[in-house]
Each structure stands twice: as structure tokens, then as C-alpha cells.
Amino acid sequence: MSRRRRKNVGIIGLGIIGSRVREVLRNKGFHVFVWNRTPRPVPNFVGAPEELAEMCDYIQLFVSDDDALLDVVKQLSPGLGAQHIVIAHSTVSPHTMILAGEIVARRGARFIEAPFTGSKEAAENGALVYYIGGDEAAIAEARPILEATSKELMVIGEIGHATVIKITTNMVTAATVQAAAEALALMRSAELSLEKFVAAMEGNASNSKTLGLKLPKMVDRNFEPHFSVKHMLKDMQIASRMGLSHHLELGITSAARDRLLEQMQRGYGDEDYSAVARKYFGDTPSGGTESDLELFNPQPPEVDPPWVDLHLPAESTEVPPQVETTAEPNVAVDLVPAAEEPLIAPSEVVADVIQEEQPTEMNFPEEPAPLEAEALEPEQAERRGFLGRLLRRESNS
């Protein structure tokens, strides 16, 4: 294989990042061939993914989502062989990344996952950070290509692990921008300068590169895409599904996802994800309200607490303070009158107890009523006579 052939790099996906990676590689002496689902008038644009595989041993994939990644890998598959290394840069679910690797491996080719952090400027300057998973030998062979467009390679482990890192870091990024949007909304409502908030954050321990980049643009309402609403929404949906699969409640991630979904449904999917600030700046289109968006499942009707259903008067369900609601039902049932009177249902008895101002006094006779002698066995009658004589003796003493 010629040296020129080994330097051929194929790129599939010419979006914000892929198009800039292409330029950086070309400027550093690599021969780059490209394919995109929507044809582009750029040099070395080929007709199909399989054709790209025939010309390049190293193929980088910058497609947008799970379906696109699996579709492209299947189209590449017939042209793949042992000489190929396929590098997937998409942010997708770990399961999808593993499936893509299996498709490539069945052709004898090698597969590396390399999702990245860094937006448009980082890609233009060859300063992305790649999170890498895969075979060590394949990573070593592909390292010169990856280093040409990055400032750091962080090897994570097996295929799928780097994708988890990418998703979790994006959770923090989305939450950071959502919190910043809410903070700006509060400043605006208090009629304070948004610029002063930006200045205050510069010296704050919670400041970050993300806030340094996004806050000024949010204040200016400049939502030129560096990382789009639709792509960040996709990542938060993946994170939410992962949370559910592990029985985790990810409240902040869910809130960030819902705000992104609002902007997506209002037609701002291609803007920068910092457009979540629109919600608080009064940029909602006329006639559109949050209730118009299918964000949440309908809530079940409210149900009164179980103790309310005790036949209380309609105008009040309050329990009088002198009666403890923790009394067990069997205490109330003891108040059922003698057998010759009609019995009352236990629930009605409990209601009577709650409505009375004082608990009912229970008066017992000082001595048990005498039993008829003929109702006792001889031994019982003799014992009762002895007890009676003993009681009278004590009372006379």
C-alpha cells in the first residue's frame, strides 16, 4: 500500500464540525475525500459511502444521530476490509455505538468510538478533545489523524464507555446554560443590568468556559449555532433514557430537555442551544403558550386523602384538634352498643367519634351483676361464694 494511500482520509458528514475537520486535515497535508447525504460542491466529493471505502483506509463519521450512524455503517460495510479503521464521532446511545462496531467488525475492519467536546471554533483551530474507546492497536494507528484535529486524546476504555462520558459531560453543559438563562431572567425581572451579571460571573467560582462563551451571546440574543438545539435535545433525550434504564431520577436533565424541546417545537432547532433563554426574554410567538406544547404527560386528578372519606359534613373536612387522627379503627368499634340495639357500620362510628367535641365516656357498674346460681357449675358457685365472703370481710374490717 502506497504512502499516499495510507494518508487518504474519508469524512462522512459535513455539518458544523465535519466540514471544519476536513479543512484542518487538508491544511495539514492529508488527502481528504468526503460524502454527505446532501451533496456539497466541495473537492473530492464521492458518490457513495462504499466508494469512499474503496479510496480511504481511515474513515471518520460525523453524522448526527443513532439512525444516521447505523445507516452509514451499513452502506460502508460492503467496501470494508481488514485494512480499514472506522472512527465514529457521533454522540449516540452506547447501545447504538456498540452495534455500529459489531457491523464493522463482521467485515474484518476495526472500529473506534471518538465522540468529542468542542464547538465550531475548536474544530476550526484543530482543538477538539476526543473521548476514545476501542482496540489499543487501532487507536495507536489512527492517533496521527486524531491528533491533527485535536488538543487532547482521552482514552476511556471499551467501545461504549467513551459515549457515556460524552453524554454525562453534555448533561452538565446543558444544565449550566439552563441555569444561566434562568438567572438572566431573574435579573431582568428585577430590572438590573444583565451585563453586570455577566461581569459578576467572571469572578465567581461557578464560572466556566461554557458560561464565558454563552452568557454574552445570550444577553445579546445572538443564537448563531455552535451546537444546535436539536443536537443538544437529542443528547438530553439519550441521557433521560439511560437514567430510566438505571432507575435514576434525573430532574435537572429532564428540565433542560423540556426547555430544549420547547425551542425545537417553536422552530428554533437549528439555532444554538443557548436559545433556551428565549423562554424568559418574551420571544414566544404570539398565540403560542407552554400549554400548546406536548411536553408533559397529563396529571391524574387529585384524590382526597383516605381519611377524608368518613361521611363528614360537606362544608368541612378538618379534624377537631382534640381528636387524634392516628386512632386505630378498632378503638371506635368498641363503642358499638349492646346486641339488642341495631349495629352501626364501623366507618359511621369513626365519623361520630371525629364529630364529637369530647370522646364518649364509658361508665361501667361498680360491681358485676350477680349471676343466677343455676347458670353456674357447682364448683364455680362455691368459688364465687368464697370470693363474696372474702370481699365482705375486707369491707367490714
Side-chain angles (χ1 to χ4, degrees):
M1 183 179 298
S2 69
R3 178 178 298 179
R4 176 183 177 121
R5 174 74 182 279
R6 289 189 64 84
K7 290 184 67 175
N8 286 357
V9 179
I11 290 181
I12 294 179
L14 295 177
I16 292 175
I17 304 300
S19 60
R20 287 163 175 79
V21 167
R22 166 187 169 272
E23 288 302 311
V24 171
L25 288 174
R26 288 188 65 196
N27 292 338
K28 293 188 176 182
F30 291 87
H31 295 89
V32 183
F33 296 84
V34 298
W35 182 82
N36 193 69
R37 284 181 291 180
T38 303
R40 301 286 181 88
V42 296
N44 296 342
F45 193 98
V46 302
E50 185 177 353
E51 184 179 341
L52 198 71
E54 294 173 359
M55 304 176 69
C56 307
D57 289 341
Y58 307 95
I59 303 170
Q60 295 181 266
L61 309 180
F62 289 94
V63 295
S64 59
D65 56 31
D66 296 60
D67 291 340
L69 177 60
L70 292 177
D71 181 60
V72 164
V73 167
K74 290 174 182 176
Q75 292 187 59
L76 273 174
S77 181
L80 294 178
Q83 76 276 16
H84 288 99
I85 296 179
V86 177
I87 309 170
H89 299 287
S90 307
T91 303
V92 295
S93 72
H95 177 69
T96 298
M97 190 66 77
I98 292 170
L99 285 178
E102 291 173 350
I103 294 171
V104 171
R106 284 198 291 267
R107 300 294 300 177
R110 290 162 292 171
F111 183 85
I112 297 172
E113 65 167 339
F116 57 88
T117 184
S119 58
K120 181 166 61 176
E121 284 81 2
E124 286 177 349
N125 297 320
L128 298 172
V129 175
Y130 291 117
Y131 307 125
I132 300 175
D135 177 71
E136 291 183 3
I139 294 171
E141 186 175 335
R143 182 175 285 273
I145 296 170
L146 294 170
E147 288 179 341
T149 57
S150 68
K151 64 179 182 181
E152 183 181 355
L153 305 183
M154 184 179 295
V155 179
I156 305 301
E158 300 176 4
I159 293 173
H161 292 179
T163 293
V164 175
I165 289 287
K166 171 59 177 176
I167 292 295
T168 52
T169 56
N170 270 13
M171 290 167 64
V172 176
T173 302
T176 298
V177 170
Q178 176 60 32
E182 294 181 16
L184 289 173
L186 191 57
M187 288 286 294
R188 184 171 181 264
S189 297
E191 299 182 352
L192 296 177
S193 168
L194 301 185
E195 288 76 11
K196 288 185 177 180
F197 174 75
V198 175
M201 285 304 304
E202 290 176 357
N204 191 280
S206 298
N207 199 28
S208 64
K209 291 181 179 179
T210 295
L211 290 177
L213 176 66
K214 298 299 181 185
L215 268 177
K217 295 181 181 295
M218 293 164 74
V219 170
D220 293 338
R221 305 189 194 187
N222 176 2
F223 304 124
E224 177 188 355
H226 293 255
F227 187 55
S228 68
V229 165
K230 64 185 178 185
H231 289 154
M232 185 61 89
L233 171 61
K234 177 257 300 177
D235 293 355
M236 293 306 98
Q237 289 171 329
I238 293 172
S240 296
R241 290 195 296 269
M242 289 175 63
L244 287 173
S245 70
H246 292 283
H247 309 289
L248 296 174
E249 181 181 352
L250 306 178
I252 295 174
T253 298
S254 297
R257 177 201 63 202
D258 292 344
R259 299 290 77 77
L260 290 161
L261 180 57
E262 286 180 350
Q263 298 308 309
M264 184 73 178
Q265 292 184 332
R266 286 174 175 145
Y268 300 121
D270 291 325
E271 291 192 349
D272 190 82
Y273 71 98
S274 57
V276 292
R278 285 183 180 276
K279 175 182 178 67
Y280 309 102
F281 287 166
D283 289 346
T284 302
S286 60
T289 64
E290 185 169 304
S291 61
D292 298 329
L293 304 176
E294 297 178 0
L295 295 176
F296 313 104
N297 292 326
Q299 297 297 317
E302 293 186 1
V303 179
D304 291 330
W307 61 267
V308 173
D309 188 19
L310 294 174
H311 309 290
L312 293 178
E315 65 273 12
S316 173
T317 58
E318 295 185 358
V319 178
Q322 65 270 26
V323 179
E324 295 184 7
T325 59
T326 56
E328 296 181 358
N330 63 341
V331 174
V333 173
D334 291 340
L335 300 181
V336 176
E340 63 269 20
E341 297 182 11
L343 292 176
I344 305 175
S347 61
E348 295 175 353
V349 174
V350 174
D352 291 338
V353 173
I354 292 176
Q355 293 179 60
E356 289 176 357
E357 293 185 357
Q358 298 293 336
T360 302
E361 295 184 0
M362 302 178 66
N363 298 319
F364 296 97
E366 295 181 359
E367 292 185 355
L371 297 176
E372 297 181 5
E374 62 271 19
L376 300 174
E377 296 292 335
E379 183 179 350
Q380 292 175 318
E382 181 180 354
R383 187 183 303 114
R384 179 162 182 82
F386 171 77
L387 290 174
R389 289 192 300 273
L390 180 63
L391 288 172
R392 284 193 297 273
R393 184 183 304 164
E394 288 181 355
S395 62
N396 292 333
S397 62

